[in-house]
Every structure is written in structure tokens, then in C-alpha cells.
Amino acid sequence: MSDSPDYVIIGAGLSGTVLASRLSEDPTVIVTVLEAGTAPFHDNDIDTPGYFRNNIGVPTKDWAFFSTPQKNLGDRPVFLPRGKNVGGTSLSETFTFEDENAAKCGFKFDKEYYGTSGPLQRTVPRYFDAISLPWIQTVQKFGVKANPDPLPNRPQNAGDNTGTWITTGTLDKKSVRSSAASAYYEPNQSRPNLKIILGAQAARVIVSGKETLVATGVEYLQDGVLHRINATKEVILSAGSYKTSQILELSGIGDPEVLKKFGIEATVNLPGDHVTATFTAKLTPGHQTWAKMSDPEFAKAQEEEFKATGGGMLSGLPSAFAFLPVKDLDKDGAIASLVRKLSLPSSPVTEMQKQWVQNDKVSFLELSAFDRFIPGTLRAPETDADYMSSTLILMHPFSYGSVHITSSDPTAVPAIDHNYLDNEVDIKILVEGYKLLREIYKKSPLKEHIMAEVSPGLGIQTDADITQYIRKTIGTTFHPIGTASMLPRKDGGVVDARLKVYGTQNLRVVDASVLPIHLSAHLQGTLYAVAEKVKIFRPP
């Protein structure tokens, strides 16, 4: 293959893998992808949905970043997992629904609005835990509507994902994970015009020109040796929200005040997460939860069942969710009042977000039901006890952070400052979410399954106590966005509507970095759509 391909894509994660597959459909187009990771995209922990957490923190699969010490979390750094092999974070993200049980929870599958011919597989897992249905039924008793299918293409929904629902899943017919790697790259890896270079960590994009820069190639490190690869048409950054912004700055594209600290000449002057808290309860005896997997014999039997039939506990993941607009949490108008008083830099993003507080079809808090003890609480699980947990995920935080280089060395870790919980609105939404969950767990039919609240714990009752608990325990939901936002340049944007970096002729960003405002959802589906759409921007 040519040393000067048409396209050089930095990062073989979800977006980069999809884009490489689509661009190389044309046999006359040569595509090379630089991927820092070296791990295979198939192994037992990747392919088995129930083992998704086993991939987090593994050095060959995960960048395992940490944030800077967070001033509003007691100077605590937050662990920030990011995928580091072909397929990226799509190798650890998957959600599921089970046909019969989903129907019991009100899910309605309509083939008219679901594709059947795309590469990514969505299927019907064979396992559904016993606590999801009573959890959903109880949440609905608090006035949260049932949403039979939040798919935005349905005319009656038009993007409304509020309410309780069962999520769909990216699994094949054997309940094996369907990822960007297995769906897009694996079937096409033998194409002579498609190449992925593993263990290749991008150092910088090589640019030339004055008024409008031209990206001519990429420098990258492999086994400690610096290499250069040229691109005849475009360089595309798909390295993820943390690495993409770092590579842009290493390439001289960013705030001159930041770059000059590290001896980098500014060639283009441009300006520079969902958070999760957890509620956990101990279940009454007789439940079969994930805790049973600590029994080697039980775990072995589950693995054998999964391999033989694609069923059993390992075939699925927690699937019950509730997405709440502010009105479901703000009975006295206190949250809306705090939003009106909130002082933020004026921008289209902040103004839209403030308007969404009043919109009953925009979710601000995600709740879920998990048949397990989730790490992140201040307590440890008891041996031989069964637990269930609910996560509280803030979908539209008013806290804004930054990612910047800490050195001109491309192997140095960037400074990632999410600036978590720097305002009263974010805190108030989470506090009210905790108070609502506490009432949900006390009400039938769920309460018949509950033995005792574990965390926060009955000793934490006042708003001030709950706030302190949140500051000590919140973490990431693995959904960083917006470090190279698609906005007008005057509003702080980095890329235009065709995802081209301002001031450049042929440098694009295609990953979650470009999303300027957070979604009321997990990112995976949107990122597949963005990458699929970008292929139409291909120059002649």
C-alpha cells in the first residue's frame, strides 16, 4: 500500500473505524488508520456482554486517564476510562432488551422504524434480571410516564426519550457484542486499500501554509521511533474527546496562550460529561443477582450456558431506565429558580440548555436499575449478600471543563479538568434525584424486594448531607464531549458544519469532540450516525 494514502485517520475507535470502512468502499481510495492500541478486538471479556466491566482499567485496552484534582470534589481526581484498541469504547458499551420481558415493561418493537440491513447487529438477549420490572412499575407510580419506544424516528416521539423504558442492544444473534470493530472493520480488513497501523501514537498533524493551513500528513510514534505518513487528500482526527484536543494543540491549533508555554507556535488560534452518582440497597434473600458470579461453580455454569446457547446471566446487561425532565424533580420550582440566577458566559449552548429546563421532553436525569453492587459508594458489599443499585446520571450539567496539553511530549497525559459540580443547579438536580430514588425504593412493588438501604445510608438525610455524599462519590459516565465543538467560530467553535477545523483546508474531526451540547442519551448511537454521515463530505 502507498506510503501516501488519500486519507490518514488518527484513531481506530468507534468513529474512526466506521469512517475507514465507509471511505475504503471505493477501491480507488486508499485509507490508513493510526491506532495507539495493540490489543485484539475479540476476547472473552470483550465478546461477553456481562463482562463489560472487566475491560475497564486494562492497560492494553484502556487509556485509563484521570482528571486533574477536582476542586468541588474535595480535590479528588476522577478515573476516566477510554477505549484504546480497534473499536475503541464500543468494545465496552452495550445495552440490551429481551423480547418477552421488554413487552411486559411496555416496550413495543416496530420493524418500520428499525433497520435490518446495517452492519451493526441488534438482537434479543436471553436474560433479564428479576428486579427490573418491579423497579419500572414503581417508578411509574411517581408520575413518570411509560415510553414504549424512545426511538426518535417514530413520528409520535420526535426525539422524546423521557419516561421509563427498556433499552435496545448491540449484540448479535449469539448474544456476542457487536462493536465498530466486529461490524465495520472485521468484514473488510482484507481490503487492499485499507490499513490499520497498530501501536501508532499520533504526535502531531503536519500542516503548511499561512492564511489557510493544509494538513499534509501525521507524525506518529511506534516503539519509541518517530515516523511520518503523508496524506494526499485529508487528515481526520478520531482520537476521542481527550486525545483529539491534545493532538490539535500539539499541532499548533489552539489558544496561543496555552501553546506558547510549551514552545509550540500557534498556527490557528482557536479556544479550547455526564456525571454519575449511585444509590444501593440490599435485597431480601432468594434473589439471583450478579453477586452469584463470585461462586466459581455458578460462574462456570453461566459461562458454559453462554457458550452453548448464548443465554444465561452473561448474555445481557441491566436494561431498565427512566429518563426524567426537570419537572419530575422540581415540584417547588427551586431548580428553575436556580437556573434563572445562574451566571454563565453567554453562548448558544448555555442559552439552549437553560431553555431545556422548561421543556418536558428533554431529560436532565437518567435513573437505572442494576442487579448488583456498583463500585463508587463509601461502603463495601457483604459476602453472600444480594444487592441492587440505581445510577443517577446528570444529562445536561451546567459545569464546563477543559482539556489542554501539559507538555510538548505527545506521550504526556493531558490535563483533563471537568470542573464537576461548580454550580448549584447540578447539585440540586442530583440531590432531588437521590430523594426521589429513596422514595421509589420504599414503595410497592419494589419495596417487597428491599431489605435495607446501603448507600447513601439512613444516616444521610439532609440536603447538605446528601450534597457532601455526592461530592465524595460521583464519577464519570464515560461520555466526554465538546472539546472541539461544532459551533460558529465566534461562539468558540473549533469545527464547522462539515466538521472541518476552522482555518484549515483538509483537517476534520470526527468523534465526540464535535458535539457542542450534551445529549439526553448515551453517545454510541449518535457517534455511529455522525461517522456514517461524514462519508458524504469526501472530496473528489
Side-chain angles (χ1 to χ4, degrees):
M1 183 180 289
S2 170
D3 291 333
S4 297
D6 297 301
Y7 295 89
V8 174
I9 299 174
I10 300 174
L14 186 158
S15 301
T17 302
V18 172
L19 192 53
S21 169
R22 292 308 193 190
L23 289 173
S24 63
E25 287 176 342
D26 183 341
T28 67
V29 172
I30 299 174
V31 180
T32 297
V33 187
L34 305 177
E35 169 53 43
T38 58
F41 50 84
H42 282 299
D43 65 26
N44 193 46
D45 288 336
I46 290 173
D47 291 340
T48 307
Y51 285 152
F52 77 103
R53 279 193 168 270
N54 293 359
N55 300 300
I56 296 174
V58 178
T60 56
K61 300 178 181 179
D62 186 358
W63 285 99
F65 294 116
F66 278 87
S67 73
T68 58
Q70 297 295 283
K71 63 183 179 181
N72 301 304
L73 307 184
D75 288 329
R76 174 171 60 91
V78 174
F79 179 50
L80 305 170
R82 289 286 86 200
K84 191 186 178 182
N85 47 351
V86 178
T89 309
S90 74
L91 300 180
S92 59
E93 286 274 350
T94 180
F95 293 97
T96 63
F97 74 91
E98 194 280 333
D99 200 19
E100 179 183 351
N101 289 301
K104 291 178 182 177
C105 295
F107 185 93
K108 295 180 179 178
F109 181 83
D110 190 335
K111 293 182 180 180
E112 183 179 354
Y113 299 102
Y114 285 85
T116 58
S117 59
L120 194 68
Q121 301 297 300
R122 305 168 78 177
T123 191
V124 181
R126 299 169 175 84
Y127 179 80
F128 194 79
D129 65 66
I131 58 172
S132 293
L133 181 56
W135 185 85
I136 282 180
Q137 292 171 336
T138 306
V139 172
Q140 291 173 359
K141 289 188 174 182
F142 287 81
V144 180
K145 70 182 182 183
N147 191 336
D149 181 6
L151 190 72
N153 290 338
R154 298 171 67 93
Q156 63 268 39
N157 284 44
D160 179 10
N161 73 341
T162 60
T164 61
W165 44 278
I166 300 296
T167 185
T168 55
T170 51
L171 305 175
D172 68 18
K173 294 178 180 179
K174 296 180 180 179
S175 298
V176 172
R177 179 191 308 281
S178 181
S179 68
S182 64
Y184 285 86
Y185 175 64
E186 189 171 18
N188 304 308
Q189 60 185 326
S190 61
R191 287 177 182 166
N193 61 329
L194 172 59
K195 180 180 181 181
I196 293 183
I197 302 176
L198 297 177
Q201 182 168 346
R204 71 183 181 103
V205 178
I206 303 165
V207 294
S208 63
K210 292 185 177 180
E211 293 186 3
T212 301
L213 297 181
V214 177
T216 59
V218 178
E219 287 183 349
Y220 66 94
L221 289 167
Q222 188 180 46
D223 297 325
V225 178
L226 187 66
H227 300 267
R228 172 174 176 155
I229 185 170
N230 296 323
T232 62
K233 289 187 176 179
E234 291 193 0
V235 173
I236 301 173
L237 266 168
S238 296
S241 293
Y242 300 143
K243 294 295 292 181
T244 283
S245 55
Q246 179 188 24
I247 294 167
L248 283 171
E249 290 190 338
L250 290 171
S251 307
I253 298 173
D255 185 341
E257 294 302 311
V258 173
L259 303 185
K260 72 179 183 181
K261 297 177 187 176
F262 306 105
I264 298 174
E265 181 183 356
T267 51
V268 177
N269 181 2
L270 292 174
D273 186 30
H274 288 160
V275 298
T276 300
T278 307
F279 184 102
T280 301
K282 187 177 181 180
L283 295 174
T284 54
H287 287 82
Q288 178 173 291
T289 69
W290 189 254
K292 296 291 189 293
M293 291 296 291
S294 62
D295 178 347
E297 291 188 6
F298 181 86
K300 182 180 179 181
Q302 289 296 316
E303 288 192 354
E304 289 174 350
E305 181 179 355
F306 180 76
K307 291 176 181 177
T309 69
M313 188 175 284
L314 293 174
S315 67
L317 283 173
S319 305
F321 292 85
F323 283 71
L324 309 182
V326 169
K327 77 171 182 65
D328 288 341
L329 303 162
D330 195 25
K331 304 303 182 184
D332 60 0
I335 295 175
S337 177
L338 287 172
V339 171
R340 288 192 293 271
K341 298 174 184 177
L342 193 62
S343 177
L344 290 171
S346 179
S347 75
V349 170
T350 56
E351 293 307 310
M352 179 178 293
Q353 197 163 319
K354 287 181 178 181
Q355 294 172 18
W356 282 353
V357 170
Q358 307 296 329
N359 191 328
D360 293 350
K361 293 186 177 181
V362 176
S363 305
F364 265 76
L365 190 69
E366 172 191 325
L367 305 179
S368 64
F370 285 67
D371 67 334
R372 64 199 69 186
F373 189 103
I374 296 181
T377 67
L378 298 179
R379 303 186 182 201
E382 299 175 14
T383 305
D384 298 326
D386 290 302
Y387 296 89
M388 74 169 293
S389 300
S390 288
T391 55
L392 304 88
I393 300 177
L394 187 62
M395 307 306 287
H396 296 291
F398 283 93
S399 305
Y400 296 91
S402 63
V403 179
H404 289 296
I405 56 174
T406 57
S407 166
S408 58
D409 180 356
T411 65
V413 177
I416 305 168
D417 182 7
H418 279 278
N419 196 26
Y420 290 125
L421 302 185
D422 80 329
N423 64 87
E424 292 300 316
V425 176
D426 291 354
I427 295 168
K428 181 66 172 174
I429 290 173
L430 288 170
V431 168
E432 293 304 315
Y434 263 113
K435 290 156 72 173
L436 175 60
L437 271 176
R438 184 168 268 163
E439 294 306 309
I440 289 169
Y441 274 62
K442 293 177 182 177
K443 195 174 186 67
S444 294
L446 183 60
K447 77 173 185 178
E448 281 72 32
H449 297 263
I450 305 301
M451 178 179 290
E453 178 183 320
V454 174
S455 61
L458 297 180
I460 298 175
Q461 290 291 331
T462 67
D463 286 10
D465 290 341
I466 297 172
T467 297
Q468 284 303 107
Y469 179 83
I470 290 170
R471 292 190 189 278
K472 291 178 180 178
T473 60
I474 69 158
T476 178
T477 316
F478 324 129
H479 299 157
I481 67 157
T483 53
S485 290
M486 181 181 64
L487 284 170
R489 193 169 182 175
K490 65 180 178 63
D491 294 319
V494 175
V495 301
D496 63 19
R498 297 173 72 84
L499 305 188
K500 189 180 294 183
V501 176
Y502 287 117
T504 73
Q505 179 177 305
N506 62 335
L507 176 61
R508 296 187 202 273
V509 175
V510 185
D511 60 25
S513 305
V514 304
L515 303 178
I517 191 167
H518 238 311
L519 314 176
S520 297
H522 296 220
L523 302 183
Q524 186 174 197
T526 298
L527 295 181
Y528 277 113
V530 170
E532 286 276 10
K533 186 175 180 63
V534 168
K535 67 181 180 181
I536 69 173
F537 298 158
R538 193 185 81 186

